[in-house]
Protein backbone atom coordinates (compact mmCIF):
# COMPACT_ATOMS: atom_id res chain seq x y z
CA UNK A 1 0.00 0.00 0.00
CA UNK A 2 1.38 3.35 -1.00
CA UNK A 3 1.64 6.37 1.24
CA UNK A 4 0.40 8.84 -1.34
CA UNK A 5 -3.32 8.74 -2.14
CA UNK A 6 -4.45 8.64 -5.78
CA UNK A 7 -4.47 12.02 -7.47
CA UNK A 8 -8.10 13.22 -7.72
CA UNK A 9 -9.52 13.03 -11.21
CA UNK A 10 -10.51 16.70 -11.16
CA UNK A 11 -6.92 17.91 -10.79
CA UNK A 12 -6.06 20.23 -13.69
CA UNK A 13 -2.62 19.46 -15.21
CA UNK A 14 -2.19 23.12 -16.17
CA UNK A 15 -2.58 24.18 -12.53
CA UNK A 16 -0.06 21.54 -11.45
CA UNK A 17 2.39 22.81 -14.05
CA UNK A 18 2.06 26.38 -12.77
CA UNK A 19 2.48 25.29 -9.16
CA UNK A 20 5.40 23.02 -9.99
CA UNK A 21 7.25 26.02 -11.36
CA UNK A 22 6.69 27.85 -8.06
CA UNK A 23 8.24 25.11 -5.91
CA UNK A 24 11.07 24.18 -8.26
CA UNK A 25 13.44 26.44 -6.38
CA UNK A 26 12.61 25.16 -2.92
CA UNK A 27 14.10 21.69 -3.47
CA UNK A 28 12.33 18.41 -2.93
CA UNK A 29 10.38 17.45 0.16
CA UNK A 30 10.76 14.11 1.92
CA UNK A 31 8.41 12.65 4.52
CA UNK A 32 9.58 9.91 6.87
CA UNK A 33 6.46 8.09 8.00
CA UNK A 34 6.95 5.30 10.54
CA UNK A 35 10.04 3.90 8.80
CA UNK A 36 8.87 4.56 5.26
CA UNK A 37 9.85 7.47 3.05
CA UNK A 38 8.26 9.41 0.26
CA UNK A 39 9.80 12.29 -1.68
CA UNK A 40 8.14 14.94 -3.81
CA UNK A 41 10.26 16.86 -6.29
CA UNK A 42 9.53 19.36 -9.05
CA UNK A 43 11.33 19.58 -12.37
CA UNK A 44 9.81 22.98 -13.01
CA UNK A 45 6.83 21.73 -15.01
CA UNK A 46 5.63 18.62 -13.22
CA UNK A 47 5.76 16.93 -9.84
CA UNK A 48 7.45 13.60 -9.28
CA UNK A 49 6.53 11.49 -6.28
CA UNK A 50 8.83 8.57 -5.39
CA UNK A 51 8.22 6.22 -2.49
CA UNK A 52 11.26 4.82 -0.71
CA UNK A 53 13.42 7.81 -1.62
CA UNK A 54 15.05 10.23 0.81
CA UNK A 55 16.47 12.98 -1.38
CA UNK A 56 14.46 16.09 -0.48
CA UNK A 57 16.26 19.30 0.47
CA UNK A 58 13.66 19.41 3.22
CA UNK A 59 12.82 16.32 5.25
CA UNK A 60 10.32 15.90 8.05
CA UNK A 61 9.35 13.00 10.28
CA UNK A 62 5.83 12.16 11.43
CA UNK A 63 3.73 9.18 12.46
CA UNK A 64 1.47 7.29 10.09
CA UNK A 65 -1.52 8.66 11.94
CA UNK A 66 -0.30 12.22 11.49
CA UNK A 67 0.43 11.53 7.83
CA UNK A 68 -3.10 10.21 7.35
CA UNK A 69 -4.46 13.33 9.06
CA UNK A 70 -2.34 15.52 6.78
CA UNK A 71 -3.35 13.73 3.60
CA UNK A 72 -6.98 13.53 4.76
CA UNK A 73 -7.11 17.31 5.35
CA UNK A 74 -7.74 16.91 9.05
CA UNK A 75 -4.51 18.63 10.08
CA UNK A 76 -2.04 21.00 8.43
CA UNK A 77 1.71 21.50 8.76
CA UNK A 78 1.16 24.32 11.24
CA UNK A 79 -1.22 22.18 13.29
CA UNK A 80 1.22 19.27 13.39
CA UNK A 81 4.06 21.59 14.41
CA UNK A 82 2.00 23.20 17.18
CA UNK A 83 1.17 19.82 18.67
CA UNK A 84 4.74 18.55 18.38
CA UNK A 85 3.76 15.84 15.90
CA UNK A 86 6.12 16.86 13.12
CA UNK A 87 9.92 17.11 13.36
CA UNK A 88 12.36 18.57 10.87
CA UNK A 89 15.38 16.59 9.79
CA UNK A 90 16.43 18.99 7.06
CA UNK A 91 15.22 22.37 5.86
CA UNK A 92 12.69 24.60 7.57
CA UNK A 93 9.14 25.80 7.67
CA UNK A 94 9.34 28.05 4.62
CA UNK A 95 10.16 25.16 2.30
CA UNK A 96 7.39 23.11 3.85
CA UNK A 97 4.92 25.96 3.45
CA UNK A 98 5.94 26.40 -0.19
CA UNK A 99 4.86 22.84 -0.89
CA UNK A 100 1.64 22.77 1.12
CA UNK A 101 -0.87 24.14 -1.44
CA UNK A 102 0.42 21.86 -4.18
CA UNK A 103 0.25 18.84 -1.88
CA UNK A 104 -3.29 19.71 -0.81
CA UNK A 105 -4.23 19.82 -4.49
CA UNK A 106 -2.59 16.48 -5.29
CA UNK A 107 -3.89 14.79 -2.12
CA UNK A 108 -7.42 16.17 -1.96
CA UNK A 109 -8.16 18.30 -5.03
CA UNK A 110 -8.21 21.57 -3.07
CA UNK A 111 -6.90 24.07 -5.62
CA UNK A 112 -4.25 26.65 -4.75
CA UNK A 113 -5.68 30.15 -4.50
CA UNK A 114 -4.80 32.15 -7.60
CA UNK A 115 -6.39 35.58 -8.09
CA UNK A 116 -6.18 35.17 -11.85
CA UNK A 117 -8.72 32.35 -11.62
CA UNK A 118 -11.23 34.27 -9.48
CA UNK A 119 -14.63 34.69 -11.15
CA UNK A 120 -17.04 37.10 -9.46
CA UNK A 121 -19.77 36.42 -12.05
CA UNK A 122 -20.35 40.15 -12.48
CA UNK A 123 -21.06 40.64 -8.78
CA UNK A 124 -19.67 43.48 -6.67
CA UNK A 125 -17.31 42.28 -3.90
CA UNK A 126 -18.06 45.50 -1.95
CA UNK A 127 -21.84 45.07 -2.03
CA UNK A 128 -23.95 45.04 1.10
CA UNK A 129 -27.55 43.90 1.25
CA UNK A 130 -30.63 44.90 3.23
CA UNK A 131 -32.02 42.22 5.49
CA UNK A 132 -35.17 41.93 3.37
CA UNK A 133 -33.15 40.98 0.29
CA UNK A 134 -34.14 37.79 -1.44
CA UNK A 135 -32.58 34.62 0.00
CA UNK A 136 -31.44 33.46 -3.43
CA UNK A 137 -29.64 36.76 -3.99
CA UNK A 138 -27.90 36.59 -0.60
CA UNK A 139 -26.93 32.97 -1.21
CA UNK A 140 -25.49 33.79 -4.63
CA UNK A 141 -23.32 36.56 -3.17
CA UNK A 142 -22.09 34.31 -0.36
CA UNK A 143 -21.40 31.42 -2.70
CA UNK A 144 -19.46 33.65 -5.10
CA UNK A 145 -17.45 35.77 -2.65
CA UNK A 146 -17.21 33.53 0.39
CA UNK A 147 -18.68 36.29 2.57
CA UNK A 148 -21.71 38.53 2.82
CA UNK A 149 -22.63 41.82 4.54
CA UNK A 150 -26.27 42.27 5.57
CA UNK A 151 -27.33 45.58 7.10
CA UNK A 152 -29.89 46.31 9.78
CA UNK A 153 -30.63 42.75 10.87
CA UNK A 154 -30.93 43.63 14.57
CA UNK A 155 -32.30 46.70 16.28
CA UNK A 156 -30.44 49.10 18.58
CA UNK A 157 -32.34 47.82 21.64
CA UNK A 158 -31.33 44.23 20.88
CA UNK A 159 -27.68 45.16 20.51
CA UNK A 160 -27.79 47.24 23.72
CA UNK A 161 -29.15 44.24 25.64
CA UNK A 162 -26.48 41.98 24.18
CA UNK A 163 -23.73 44.46 25.07
CA UNK A 164 -24.91 44.57 28.67
CA UNK A 165 -24.53 40.80 28.80
CA UNK A 166 -21.07 41.02 27.30
CA UNK A 167 -20.19 43.61 29.96
CA UNK A 168 -21.39 41.19 32.64
CA UNK A 169 -19.47 38.19 31.27
CA UNK A 170 -16.37 40.32 30.74
CA UNK A 171 -16.45 41.44 34.39
CA UNK A 172 -16.39 37.79 35.46
CA UNK A 173 -13.65 36.65 33.08
CA UNK A 174 -10.15 35.90 34.33
CA UNK A 175 -6.96 34.86 32.50
CA UNK A 176 -6.67 31.08 32.42
CA UNK A 177 -10.34 30.42 33.14
CA UNK A 178 -10.75 28.44 29.91
CA UNK A 179 -13.70 30.63 29.05
CA UNK A 180 -11.80 33.59 27.66
CA UNK A 181 -8.80 34.65 25.60
CA UNK A 182 -6.43 37.39 26.70
CA UNK A 183 -3.68 39.46 25.12
CA UNK A 184 -1.00 41.71 26.55
CA UNK A 185 -1.83 45.32 25.81
CA UNK A 186 0.50 48.25 25.14
CA UNK A 187 0.96 48.88 28.86
CA UNK A 188 1.87 45.27 29.54
CA UNK A 189 -1.47 44.46 31.17
CA UNK A 190 -3.67 41.48 30.39
CA UNK A 191 -6.68 42.50 28.27
CA UNK A 192 -9.72 40.41 27.42
CA UNK A 193 -10.04 39.78 23.67
CA UNK A 194 -12.52 36.93 23.49
CA UNK A 195 -15.28 35.28 25.50
CA UNK A 196 -15.83 31.67 24.48
CA UNK A 197 -18.89 29.48 25.14
CA UNK A 198 -20.58 32.82 25.80
CA UNK A 199 -24.13 31.60 25.17
CA UNK A 200 -23.82 28.84 27.79
CA UNK A 201 -23.57 31.55 30.45
CA UNK A 202 -26.12 34.01 29.14
CA UNK A 203 -29.79 33.37 28.26
CA UNK A 204 -29.83 36.70 26.41
CA UNK A 205 -26.94 35.71 24.15
CA UNK A 206 -28.36 32.18 23.79
CA UNK A 207 -31.59 33.67 22.48
CA UNK A 208 -29.58 35.71 19.99
CA UNK A 209 -27.70 32.59 18.92
CA UNK A 210 -30.98 30.76 18.20
CA UNK A 211 -32.72 33.72 16.58
CA UNK A 212 -34.37 32.78 13.26
CA UNK A 213 -32.61 35.72 11.59
CA UNK A 214 -29.25 34.14 12.45
CA UNK A 215 -30.33 30.70 11.31
CA UNK A 216 -31.61 32.08 8.03
CA UNK A 217 -28.23 33.62 7.19
CA UNK A 218 -26.20 30.68 8.52
CA UNK A 219 -28.06 28.18 6.37
CA UNK A 220 -28.29 30.13 3.12
CA UNK A 221 -26.08 27.59 1.37
CA UNK A 222 -27.02 24.44 3.24
CA UNK A 223 -30.14 23.99 5.41
CA UNK A 224 -28.53 20.97 7.11
CA UNK A 225 -25.86 23.02 8.92
CA UNK A 226 -26.25 23.27 12.69
CA UNK A 227 -24.87 25.46 15.46
CA UNK A 228 -22.64 23.95 18.17
CA UNK A 229 -23.03 25.97 21.40
CA UNK A 230 -21.28 23.33 23.55
CA UNK A 231 -18.15 22.62 21.46
CA UNK A 232 -15.66 24.39 19.23
CA UNK A 233 -15.77 27.23 21.76
CA UNK A 234 -19.48 27.64 21.09
CA UNK A 235 -20.46 31.14 20.07
CA UNK A 236 -17.61 33.45 21.04
CA UNK A 237 -17.68 37.21 21.44
CA UNK A 238 -14.64 38.99 20.04
CA UNK A 239 -13.47 42.23 21.59
CA UNK A 240 -10.83 44.18 19.69
CA UNK A 241 -8.24 45.47 22.13
CA UNK A 242 -6.83 48.83 21.01
CA UNK A 243 -3.17 49.50 20.41
CA UNK A 244 -0.28 47.20 19.73
CA UNK A 245 -1.10 43.95 21.49
CA UNK A 246 0.84 40.74 21.95
CA UNK A 247 -1.18 37.57 21.43
CA UNK A 248 -4.05 36.50 19.22
CA UNK A 249 -6.18 39.60 18.97
CA UNK A 250 -5.16 41.07 15.65
CA UNK A 251 -5.11 37.97 13.50
CA UNK A 252 -3.06 38.04 10.31
CA UNK A 253 -4.42 36.57 7.09
CA UNK A 254 -5.68 33.06 7.63
CA UNK A 255 -8.39 30.50 7.04
CA UNK A 256 -10.31 29.14 10.00
CA UNK A 257 -9.08 25.65 9.11
CA UNK A 258 -5.49 26.94 9.18
CA UNK A 259 -4.26 24.36 11.68
CA UNK A 260 -6.64 21.64 10.61
CA UNK A 261 -10.21 20.48 10.52
CA UNK A 262 -10.89 21.26 6.87
CA UNK A 263 -12.32 17.79 6.21
CA UNK A 264 -14.23 17.98 9.46
CA UNK A 265 -16.00 21.33 9.28
CA UNK A 266 -15.57 23.13 5.97
CA UNK A 267 -17.56 24.72 4.53
CA UNK A 268 -18.94 25.86 7.88
CA UNK A 269 -20.62 29.27 7.80
CA UNK A 270 -20.03 31.88 10.50
CA UNK A 271 -22.62 34.55 11.21
CA UNK A 272 -21.01 37.61 12.79
CA UNK A 273 -23.49 39.70 14.77
CA UNK A 274 -22.01 43.18 14.92
CA UNK A 275 -22.75 44.27 18.47
CA UNK A 276 -20.95 47.59 18.08
CA UNK A 277 -20.40 48.04 14.36
CA UNK A 278 -16.87 48.21 13.02
CA UNK A 279 -14.45 50.35 11.08
CA UNK A 280 -10.69 50.74 10.84
CA UNK A 281 -10.57 52.67 14.14
CA UNK A 282 -12.52 50.09 16.15
CA UNK A 283 -11.15 47.11 14.25
CA UNK A 284 -12.78 45.54 11.22
CA UNK A 285 -12.75 42.47 9.07
CA UNK A 286 -10.82 42.13 5.84
CA UNK A 287 -11.54 39.43 3.29
CA UNK A 288 -10.24 38.21 -0.05
CA UNK A 289 -13.28 37.77 -2.29
CA UNK A 290 -13.59 34.43 -4.00
CA UNK A 291 -10.80 32.78 -2.02
CA UNK A 292 -12.88 30.16 -0.20
CA UNK A 293 -12.47 26.46 -0.88
CA UNK A 294 -8.87 26.94 -1.91
CA UNK A 295 -5.43 26.58 -0.36
CA UNK A 296 -3.34 29.57 0.69
CA UNK A 297 0.05 29.99 -0.85
CA UNK A 298 2.75 31.11 1.49
CA UNK A 299 3.15 34.90 1.44
CA UNK A 300 0.36 35.21 -1.12
CA UNK A 301 -0.70 38.45 0.59
CA UNK A 302 2.46 40.15 -0.66
CA UNK A 303 1.28 39.76 -4.24
CA UNK A 304 0.02 43.02 -5.77
CA UNK A 305 -2.83 41.37 -7.69
CA UNK A 306 -4.76 39.98 -4.71
CA UNK A 307 -8.04 41.87 -4.13
CA UNK A 308 -8.82 42.81 -0.53
CA UNK A 309 -12.18 44.07 0.72
CA UNK A 310 -12.59 45.81 4.07
CA UNK A 311 -16.01 45.30 5.64
CA UNK A 312 -17.21 48.23 7.74
CA UNK A 313 -20.45 47.69 9.63
CA UNK A 314 -23.05 49.46 11.78
CA UNK A 315 -24.40 48.04 15.07
CA UNK A 316 -27.00 45.39 14.24
CA UNK A 317 -25.44 44.48 10.88
CA UNK A 318 -24.40 40.92 10.25
CA UNK A 319 -21.43 39.55 8.37
CA UNK A 320 -21.45 36.00 7.08
CA UNK A 321 -18.35 34.13 6.01
CA UNK A 322 -17.48 30.67 4.86
CA UNK A 323 -14.77 29.61 7.27
CA UNK A 324 -12.07 28.93 4.72
CA UNK A 325 -12.36 32.29 2.97
CA UNK A 326 -9.13 34.19 3.54
CA UNK A 327 -9.64 36.89 6.12
CA UNK A 328 -7.82 39.02 8.63
CA UNK A 329 -8.55 41.17 11.63
CA UNK A 330 -6.09 44.08 11.56
CA UNK A 331 -4.98 46.18 14.49
CA UNK A 332 -7.49 48.97 15.24
CA UNK A 333 -6.14 52.34 14.15
CA UNK A 334 -8.04 54.13 16.92
CA UNK A 335 -10.12 53.35 19.99
CA UNK A 336 -10.70 49.68 19.17
CA UNK A 337 -13.28 47.71 21.20
CA UNK A 338 -15.32 46.43 18.29
CA UNK A 339 -17.49 43.55 19.52
CA UNK A 340 -18.76 40.74 17.34
CA UNK A 341 -20.56 37.58 18.37
CA UNK A 342 -19.97 34.68 15.99
CA UNK A 343 -22.50 31.91 15.54
CA UNK A 344 -21.02 29.20 13.35
CA UNK A 345 -23.11 26.66 11.48
CA UNK A 346 -21.35 23.34 10.94
CA UNK A 347 -21.78 20.25 8.79
CA UNK A 348 -22.81 17.07 10.65
CA UNK A 349 -19.29 15.63 10.31
CA UNK A 350 -18.15 17.95 13.11
CA UNK A 351 -20.08 15.87 15.66
CA UNK A 352 -18.21 12.73 14.53
CA UNK A 353 -14.93 14.22 15.73
CA UNK A 354 -15.50 16.88 18.38
CA UNK A 355 -17.22 16.11 21.67
CA UNK A 356 -18.84 18.46 24.18
CA UNK A 357 -16.33 20.97 25.53
CA UNK A 358 -13.76 20.07 22.87
CA UNK A 359 -12.32 22.44 20.28
CA UNK A 360 -9.39 22.50 17.93
CA UNK A 361 -8.51 25.80 19.59
CA UNK A 362 -7.84 23.94 22.87
CA UNK A 363 -4.33 23.69 21.48
CA UNK A 364 -3.86 27.43 21.49
CA UNK A 365 -6.27 28.94 24.00
CA UNK A 366 -3.73 29.37 26.77
CA UNK A 367 -0.76 29.74 24.44
CA UNK A 368 -1.93 32.69 22.41
CA UNK A 369 1.29 34.70 22.59
CA UNK A 370 3.33 31.65 21.74
CA UNK A 371 1.15 30.82 18.76
CA UNK A 372 1.08 34.41 17.52
CA UNK A 373 4.86 34.43 17.84
CA UNK A 374 5.16 31.63 15.33
CA UNK A 375 3.81 33.95 12.62
CA UNK A 376 4.52 31.28 10.06
CA UNK A 377 2.54 33.12 7.49
CA UNK A 378 -1.05 33.22 6.40
CA UNK A 379 -2.11 29.83 7.70
CA UNK A 380 -0.78 30.39 11.20
CA UNK A 381 -4.11 31.47 12.68
CA UNK A 382 -5.69 29.04 15.07
CA UNK A 383 -7.91 26.54 13.39
CA UNK A 384 -11.40 27.49 14.41
CA UNK A 385 -10.54 31.06 15.20
CA UNK A 386 -13.10 33.16 13.45
CA UNK A 387 -12.00 36.71 12.99
FE1 LIG B 1 -10.79 33.59 11.25
Amino acid sequence: MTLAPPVPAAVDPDVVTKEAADVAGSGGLTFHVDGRSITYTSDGTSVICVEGEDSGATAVRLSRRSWDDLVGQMRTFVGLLLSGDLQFERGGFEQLADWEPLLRYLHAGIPPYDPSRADFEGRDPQASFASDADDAELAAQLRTMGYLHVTGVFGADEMAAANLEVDRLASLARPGDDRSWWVTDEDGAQALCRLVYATLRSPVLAALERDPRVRRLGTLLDPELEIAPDRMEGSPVLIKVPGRTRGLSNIPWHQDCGTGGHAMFCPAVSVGIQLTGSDSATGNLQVVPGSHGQALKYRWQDRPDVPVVTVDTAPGDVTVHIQDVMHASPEPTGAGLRRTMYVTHYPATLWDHIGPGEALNDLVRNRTEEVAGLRHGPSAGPSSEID
Side-chain angles (χ1 to χ4, degrees):
M1 194 171 145
T2 61
L3 283 171
V7 175
V11 161
D12 181 341
D14 291 340
V15 173
V16 174
T17 296
K18 192 172 179 186
E19 298 303 313
D22 276 4
V23 295
S26 67
L29 172 59
T30 295
F31 296 92
H32 296 299
V33 183
D34 284 354
R36 299 169 64 185
S37 299
I38 183 170
T39 296
Y40 292 84
T41 55
S42 165
D43 63 6
T45 57
S46 61
V47 176
I48 303 105
C49 170
V50 181
E51 303 229 2
E53 189 168 305
D54 178 17
S55 59
T58 301
V60 294
R61 184 174 296 279
L62 69 173
S63 70
R64 178 64 197 244
R65 182 175 180 180
S66 295
W67 168 259
D68 289 343
D69 282 348
L70 181 75
V71 169
Q73 310 304 309
M74 291 296 281
R75 298 167 81 190
T76 62
F77 286 138
V78 167
L80 291 168
L81 281 167
L82 283 173
S83 59
D85 291 321
L86 185 145
Q87 290 82 40
F88 281 96
E89 296 196 344
R90 298 188 293 275
F93 183 79
E94 289 200 13
Q95 291 80 29
L96 203 58
D98 284 341
W99 274 94
E100 187 163 38
L102 182 51
L103 293 181
R104 294 188 74 188
Y105 195 39
L106 295 174
H107 291 162
I110 299 167
Y113 170 66
D114 183 341
S116 70
R117 289 199 296 271
D119 179 6
F120 297 156
E121 300 175 3
R123 293 184 163 276
D124 177 6
Q126 312 266 1
S128 59
F129 297 81
S131 58
D132 62 356
D134 184 62
D135 277 10
E137 177 68 9
L138 296 178
Q141 183 79 4
L142 178 58
R143 188 179 296 113
T144 304
M145 301 299 169
Y147 65 90
L148 177 65
H149 176 196
V150 185
T151 59
V153 177
F154 292 98
D157 53 340
E158 293 174 296
M159 295 297 92
N163 275 303
L164 280 176
E165 281 296 275
V166 173
D167 291 342
R168 182 179 68 79
L169 296 181
S171 72
L172 299 172
R174 299 289 181 272
D177 64 7
D178 263 356
R179 289 293 177 269
S180 54
W181 287 32
W182 297 73
V183 292
T184 305
D185 69 15
E186 278 190 345
D187 300 325
Q190 294 289 289
L192 177 68
C193 67
R194 185 178 308 207
L195 297 164
V196 299
Y197 294 115
T199 60
L200 299 186
R201 309 194 293 289
S202 166
V204 172
L205 297 182
L208 201 54
E209 176 184 58
R210 296 194 173 276
D211 191 286
R213 290 166 288 183
V214 171
R215 176 156 188 87
R216 173 200 176 210
L217 296 173
T219 56
L220 280 170
L221 301 183
D222 182 355
E224 300 295 319
L225 300 186
E226 294 289 347
I227 61 173
D230 68 340
R231 61 201 75 195
M232 293 295 279
E233 301 195 322
S235 294
V237 177
L238 271 64
I239 301 168
K240 290 291 286 184
V241 178
R244 184 140 297 177
T245 58
R246 296 202 310 274
L248 288 174
S249 176
N250 305 316
I251 314 284
W253 288 103
H254 68 283
Q255 295 165 296
D256 291 334
C257 55
T259 63
H262 182 81
M264 185 196 308
F265 61 71
C266 286
V269 172
S270 287
V271 175
I273 303 167
Q274 304 298 322
L275 304 181
T276 58
S278 61
D279 58 23
S280 60
T282 59
N284 50 17
L285 181 67
Q286 295 183 328
V287 288
V288 176
S291 59
H292 52 301
Q294 295 153 88
L296 285 163
K297 289 171 86 164
Y298 193 46
R299 296 208 181 98
W300 64 273
Q301 66 269 41
D302 296 335
R303 292 174 54 151
D305 55 346
V306 172
V308 171
V309 170
T310 298
V311 185
D312 287 350
T313 61
D317 286 4
V318 163
T319 58
V320 186
H321 75 270
I322 298 174
Q323 285 210 298
D324 62 359
V325 76
M326 291 165 216
H327 56 284
S329 182
E331 178 183 320
T333 58
L337 300 181
R338 184 251 298 184
R339 290 175 171 183
T340 304
M341 182 169 120
Y342 278 103
V343 183
T344 299
H345 297 66
Y346 293 100
T349 44
L350 177 81
W351 282 263
D352 296 336
H353 299 276
I354 302 289
E358 293 179 351
L360 293 184
N361 274 347
D362 292 345
L363 196 59
V364 300
R365 188 182 302 149
N366 293 316
R367 304 167 58 194
T368 59
E369 283 200 30
E370 183 185 343
V371 173
L374 282 173
R375 295 298 290 267
H376 282 319
S379 59
S383 54
S384 60
E385 174 281 320
I386 46 180
D387 198 311

mmCIF file of all heavy atoms in Angstrom, residues 69-83:
data_model
loop_
_atom_site.group_PDB
_atom_site.id
_atom_site.type_symbol
_atom_site.label_atom_id
_atom_site.label_comp_id
_atom_site.label_asym_id
_atom_site.label_seq_id
_atom_site.Cartn_x
_atom_site.Cartn_y
_atom_site.Cartn_z
ATOM 1 N N ASP A 69 -3.734 12.091 8.764
ATOM 2 C CA ASP A 69 -4.459 13.331 9.062
ATOM 3 C C ASP A 69 -4.091 14.443 8.071
ATOM 4 O O ASP A 69 -4.938 15.223 7.642
ATOM 5 C CB ASP A 69 -4.143 13.818 10.480
ATOM 6 C CG ASP A 69 -4.900 13.027 11.539
ATOM 7 O OD1 ASP A 69 -5.820 12.263 11.187
ATOM 8 O OD2 ASP A 69 -4.559 13.178 12.724
ATOM 9 N N LEU A 70 -2.808 14.500 7.724
ATOM 10 C CA LEU A 70 -2.343 15.520 6.778
ATOM 11 C C LEU A 70 -2.968 15.286 5.404
ATOM 12 O O LEU A 70 -3.553 16.195 4.804
ATOM 13 C CB LEU A 70 -0.813 15.475 6.688
ATOM 14 C CG LEU A 70 -0.164 16.487 5.755
ATOM 15 C CD1 LEU A 70 -0.186 17.880 6.372
ATOM 16 C CD2 LEU A 70 1.284 16.088 5.443
ATOM 17 N N VAL A 71 -2.842 14.069 4.924
ATOM 18 C CA VAL A 71 -3.355 13.730 3.596
ATOM 19 C C VAL A 71 -4.884 13.841 3.566
ATOM 20 O O VAL A 71 -5.474 14.263 2.576
ATOM 21 C CB VAL A 71 -2.886 12.305 3.220
ATOM 22 C CG1 VAL A 71 -3.611 11.803 1.985
ATOM 23 C CG2 VAL A 71 -1.379 12.294 3.015
ATOM 24 N N GLY A 72 -5.516 13.487 4.675
ATOM 25 C CA GLY A 72 -6.978 13.534 4.763
ATOM 26 C C GLY A 72 -7.541 14.899 5.077
ATOM 27 O O GLY A 72 -8.738 15.039 5.312
ATOM 28 N N GLN A 73 -6.694 15.928 5.119
ATOM 29 C CA GLN A 73 -7.108 17.314 5.345
ATOM 30 C C GLN A 73 -7.738 17.522 6.723
ATOM 31 O O GLN A 73 -8.615 18.359 6.907
ATOM 32 C CB GLN A 73 -8.076 17.800 4.246
ATOM 33 C CG GLN A 73 -7.576 17.541 2.850
ATOM 34 C CD GLN A 73 -6.208 18.156 2.590
ATOM 35 O OE1 GLN A 73 -5.995 19.327 2.855
ATOM 36 N NE2 GLN A 73 -5.252 17.360 2.117
ATOM 37 N N MET A 74 -7.286 16.711 7.674
ATOM 38 C CA MET A 74 -7.735 16.914 9.049
ATOM 39 C C MET A 74 -6.771 17.810 9.813
ATOM 40 O O MET A 74 -7.149 18.459 10.782
ATOM 41 C CB MET A 74 -7.851 15.574 9.771
ATOM 42 C CG MET A 74 -8.978 14.702 9.244
ATOM 43 S SD MET A 74 -10.601 15.428 9.515
ATOM 44 C CE MET A 74 -10.842 15.020 11.223
ATOM 45 N N ARG A 75 -5.504 17.780 9.419
ATOM 46 C CA ARG A 75 -4.510 18.633 10.082
ATOM 47 C C ARG A 75 -3.573 19.208 9.012
ATOM 48 O O ARG A 75 -3.431 18.643 7.938
ATOM 49 C CB ARG A 75 -3.708 17.826 11.115
ATOM 50 C CG ARG A 75 -4.595 17.270 12.215
ATOM 51 C CD ARG A 75 -3.879 16.238 13.052
ATOM 52 N NE ARG A 75 -3.036 16.845 14.060
ATOM 53 C CZ ARG A 75 -2.148 16.160 14.789
ATOM 54 N NH1 ARG A 75 -1.984 14.868 14.594
ATOM 55 N NH2 ARG A 75 -1.428 16.771 15.701
ATOM 56 N N THR A 76 -2.955 20.326 9.349
ATOM 57 C CA THR A 76 -2.036 20.999 8.428
ATOM 58 C C THR A 76 -0.629 20.969 9.009
ATOM 59 O O THR A 76 -0.408 20.556 10.152
ATOM 60 C CB THR A 76 -2.452 22.471 8.236
ATOM 61 O OG1 THR A 76 -2.363 23.119 9.516
ATOM 62 C CG2 THR A 76 -3.874 22.577 7.706
ATOM 63 N N PHE A 77 0.327 21.446 8.249
ATOM 64 C CA PHE A 77 1.705 21.497 8.757
ATOM 65 C C PHE A 77 1.783 22.325 10.041
ATOM 66 O O PHE A 77 2.437 21.939 11.001
ATOM 67 C CB PHE A 77 2.636 22.087 7.701
ATOM 68 C CG PHE A 77 2.928 21.155 6.565
ATOM 69 C CD1 PHE A 77 2.954 21.618 5.269
ATOM 70 C CD2 PHE A 77 3.188 19.807 6.791
ATOM 71 C CE1 PHE A 77 3.229 20.765 4.207
ATOM 72 C CE2 PHE A 77 3.457 18.946 5.739
ATOM 73 C CZ PHE A 77 3.479 19.431 4.447
ATOM 74 N N VAL A 78 1.121 23.474 10.040
ATOM 75 C CA VAL A 78 1.160 24.320 11.241
ATOM 76 C C VAL A 78 0.559 23.589 12.433
ATOM 77 O O VAL A 78 1.102 23.608 13.543
ATOM 78 C CB VAL A 78 0.423 25.649 10.998
ATOM 79 C CG1 VAL A 78 0.176 26.390 12.308
ATOM 80 C CG2 VAL A 78 1.222 26.534 10.063
ATOM 81 N N GLY A 79 -0.578 22.917 12.212
ATOM 82 C CA GLY A 79 -1.220 22.183 13.294
ATOM 83 C C GLY A 79 -0.337 21.076 13.833
ATOM 84 O O GLY A 79 -0.236 20.875 15.057
ATOM 85 N N LEU A 80 0.332 20.360 12.947
ATOM 86 C CA LEU A 80 1.221 19.271 13.386
ATOM 87 C C LEU A 80 2.426 19.833 14.143
ATOM 88 O O LEU A 80 2.871 19.255 15.144
ATOM 89 C CB LEU A 80 1.685 18.451 12.179
ATOM 90 C CG LEU A 80 0.585 17.618 11.504
ATOM 91 C CD1 LEU A 80 1.066 17.082 10.153
ATOM 92 C CD2 LEU A 80 0.156 16.461 12.406
ATOM 93 N N LEU A 81 2.928 20.969 13.700
ATOM 94 C CA LEU A 81 4.064 21.587 14.408
ATOM 95 C C LEU A 81 3.652 22.060 15.802
ATOM 96 O O LEU A 81 4.369 21.860 16.785
ATOM 97 C CB LEU A 81 4.605 22.768 13.603
ATOM 98 C CG LEU A 81 5.513 22.413 12.423
ATOM 99 C CD1 LEU A 81 5.711 23.623 11.526
ATOM 100 C CD2 LEU A 81 6.858 21.895 12.936
ATOM 101 N N LEU A 82 2.465 22.683 15.883
ATOM 102 C CA LEU A 82 2.001 23.205 17.177
ATOM 103 C C LEU A 82 1.828 22.089 18.205
ATOM 104 O O LEU A 82 2.060 22.283 19.392
ATOM 105 C CB LEU A 82 0.671 23.942 17.008
ATOM 106 C CG LEU A 82 0.726 25.343 16.416
ATOM 107 C CD1 LEU A 82 -0.675 25.853 16.153
ATOM 108 C CD2 LEU A 82 1.485 26.281 17.342
ATOM 109 N N SER A 83 1.412 20.919 17.741
ATOM 110 C CA SER A 83 1.174 19.821 18.673
ATOM 111 C C SER A 83 2.408 18.935 18.863
ATOM 112 O O SER A 83 2.351 17.937 19.579
ATOM 113 C CB SER A 83 -0.009 18.974 18.184
ATOM 114 O OG SER A 83 0.263 18.458 16.897
#
